[in-house]
Amino acid sequence: MRQTARADGYAEFAAARTGHLYRSACLLTAGDTHLAEDLVQETLGRLYLRWARVSRVDNPAGYAQTVLTRTFLAHQRRRSSRERAVATFPDVAGGEADMSLRLTLLQALGRLPAKDRAVVVLRYWEDRSVEETAGAMNASSAAVRTRCSRALGRLRELLGEDMSEYARP
């Protein structure tokens, strides 16, 4: 009976958070949807194994994001030269104007190092504080601020100084 209640609580949480985790993973992987799916699956698996403890924390959703970020960073560390980034993305269905903007931003994110990409996603997509980002990345607040500044500078170089064309009215 207790195992069923545990599984039900986990199933509700997973159903509610999977979409958000997937979107974050897509940003972390710079649009690699297959890797994003793998990262979300691994994250959900890790959460299930520790669900009894995770369900008691103040913010299980934040904990899940931290697990996702750390899973991504661990994957980047162990990734060998067998995988290479490609210069162009495959054709995908969707609106033309929005799709070109999305591809431009994903390509720019993809050119950032993994930790810089993680900082940008956590700080600006997830809207986390410097301290929360530092906790998720196992880094100091000063390191997060420095990395964030450098990552934004690199994005400005890649996208150009006048980024008003990327902003929506």
Side-chain angles (χ1 to χ4, degrees):
M1 184 67 151
R2 186 178 185 136
Q3 191 74 358
T4 305
R6 173 183 158 187
D8 289 343
Y10 171 79
E12 287 176 27
F13 175 82
R17 296 302 301 170
T18 298
H20 188 78
L21 288 170
Y22 177 71
R23 286 187 296 278
S24 294
C26 283
L27 290 171
L28 287 170
T29 62
D32 184 344
T33 57
H34 299 292
L35 177 56
E37 289 172 355
D38 291 345
L39 291 174
V40 170
Q41 187 65 36
E42 188 171 339
T43 297
L44 291 174
R46 289 180 181 189
L47 289 173
Y48 182 76
L49 292 175
R50 294 173 183 83
W51 184 247
R53 186 180 76 208
V54 172
S55 63
R56 292 190 306 261
V57 299
D58 291 336
N59 185 2
Y63 186 89
Q65 286 298 134
T66 298
V67 172
L68 175 67
T69 302
R70 290 184 180 172
T71 301
F72 165 72
L73 292 173
H75 172 71
Q76 291 301 113
R77 280 192 300 271
R78 70 178 174 256
R79 191 174 115 188
S80 67
S81 60
R82 62 181 156 56
E83 294 184 56
R84 299 272 184 220
V86 295
T88 59
F89 286 98
D91 292 336
V92 291
E96 288 300 315
D98 188 46
M99 192 53 62
S100 65
L101 170 63
R102 183 178 302 236
L103 289 175
T104 300
L105 294 175
L106 285 175
Q107 286 174 341
L109 274 174
R111 295 187 60 193
L112 293 177
K115 288 185 179 181
D116 288 355
R117 201 174 325 143
V119 164
V120 169
V121 170
L122 289 171
R123 288 282 291 131
Y124 301 105
W125 171 255
E126 294 293 326
D127 198 27
R128 288 190 179 202
S129 69
V130 171
E131 292 75 23
E132 290 173 325
T133 303
M137 293 184 63
N138 238 2
S140 69
S141 296
V144 167
R145 284 190 293 273
T146 300
R147 189 169 292 282
C148 196
S149 175
R150 289 181 184 163
L152 290 177
R154 179 71 177 135
L155 283 174
R156 283 186 195 96
E157 287 174 16
L158 294 170
L159 297 172
E161 283 297 322
D162 183 24
M163 292 190 289
S164 60
E165 66 187 80
Y166 302 112
R168 292 190 181 167

mmCIF file of all heavy atoms in Angstrom, residues 39 63 92 98 111:
data_model
loop_
_atom_site.group_PDB
_atom_site.id
_atom_site.type_symbol
_atom_site.label_atom_id
_atom_site.label_comp_id
_atom_site.label_asym_id
_atom_site.label_seq_id
_atom_site.Cartn_x
_atom_site.Cartn_y
_atom_site.Cartn_z
ATOM 1 N N LEU A 39 18.201 13.116 -21.094
ATOM 2 C CA LEU A 39 18.503 13.787 -19.828
ATOM 3 C C LEU A 39 17.282 13.836 -18.917
ATOM 4 O O LEU A 39 17.390 13.609 -17.710
ATOM 5 C CB LEU A 39 19.020 15.203 -20.088
ATOM 6 C CG LEU A 39 20.390 15.311 -20.745
ATOM 7 C CD1 LEU A 39 20.696 16.766 -21.076
ATOM 8 C CD2 LEU A 39 21.471 14.714 -19.873
ATOM 9 N N TYR A 63 14.490 20.982 -6.957
ATOM 10 C CA TYR A 63 15.396 19.841 -6.808
ATOM 11 C C TYR A 63 15.521 19.102 -8.148
ATOM 12 O O TYR A 63 16.608 18.720 -8.549
ATOM 13 C CB TYR A 63 14.864 18.906 -5.722
ATOM 14 C CG TYR A 63 15.789 17.765 -5.382
ATOM 15 C CD1 TYR A 63 16.760 17.902 -4.395
ATOM 16 C CD2 TYR A 63 15.696 16.551 -6.043
ATOM 17 C CE1 TYR A 63 17.609 16.857 -4.078
ATOM 18 C CE2 TYR A 63 16.543 15.499 -5.738
ATOM 19 C CZ TYR A 63 17.492 15.655 -4.750
ATOM 20 O OH TYR A 63 18.338 14.614 -4.443
ATOM 21 N N VAL A 92 12.897 21.315 -39.653
ATOM 22 C CA VAL A 92 11.824 21.034 -38.702
ATOM 23 C C VAL A 92 10.580 21.807 -39.127
ATOM 24 O O VAL A 92 10.669 22.864 -39.739
ATOM 25 C CB VAL A 92 12.214 21.432 -37.259
ATOM 26 C CG1 VAL A 92 13.292 20.531 -36.730
ATOM 27 C CG2 VAL A 92 12.660 22.873 -37.184
ATOM 28 N N ASP A 98 9.142 32.669 -36.458
ATOM 29 C CA ASP A 98 9.475 32.206 -35.119
ATOM 30 C C ASP A 98 10.565 31.140 -35.166
ATOM 31 O O ASP A 98 11.430 31.105 -34.309
ATOM 32 C CB ASP A 98 8.227 31.671 -34.423
ATOM 33 C CG ASP A 98 8.487 31.351 -32.967
ATOM 34 O OD1 ASP A 98 9.108 32.177 -32.273
ATOM 35 O OD2 ASP A 98 8.076 30.264 -32.535
ATOM 36 N N ARG A 111 26.913 27.241 -29.243
ATOM 37 C CA ARG A 111 28.324 27.605 -29.380
ATOM 38 C C ARG A 111 28.960 27.982 -28.047
ATOM 39 O O ARG A 111 30.157 28.204 -27.987
ATOM 40 C CB ARG A 111 28.468 28.725 -30.390
ATOM 41 C CG ARG A 111 28.035 28.219 -31.787
ATOM 42 C CD ARG A 111 28.284 29.159 -32.888
ATOM 43 N NE ARG A 111 29.695 29.489 -33.012
ATOM 44 C CZ ARG A 111 30.131 30.497 -33.754
ATOM 45 N NH1 ARG A 111 29.275 31.224 -34.421
ATOM 46 N NH2 ARG A 111 31.422 30.765 -33.824
#
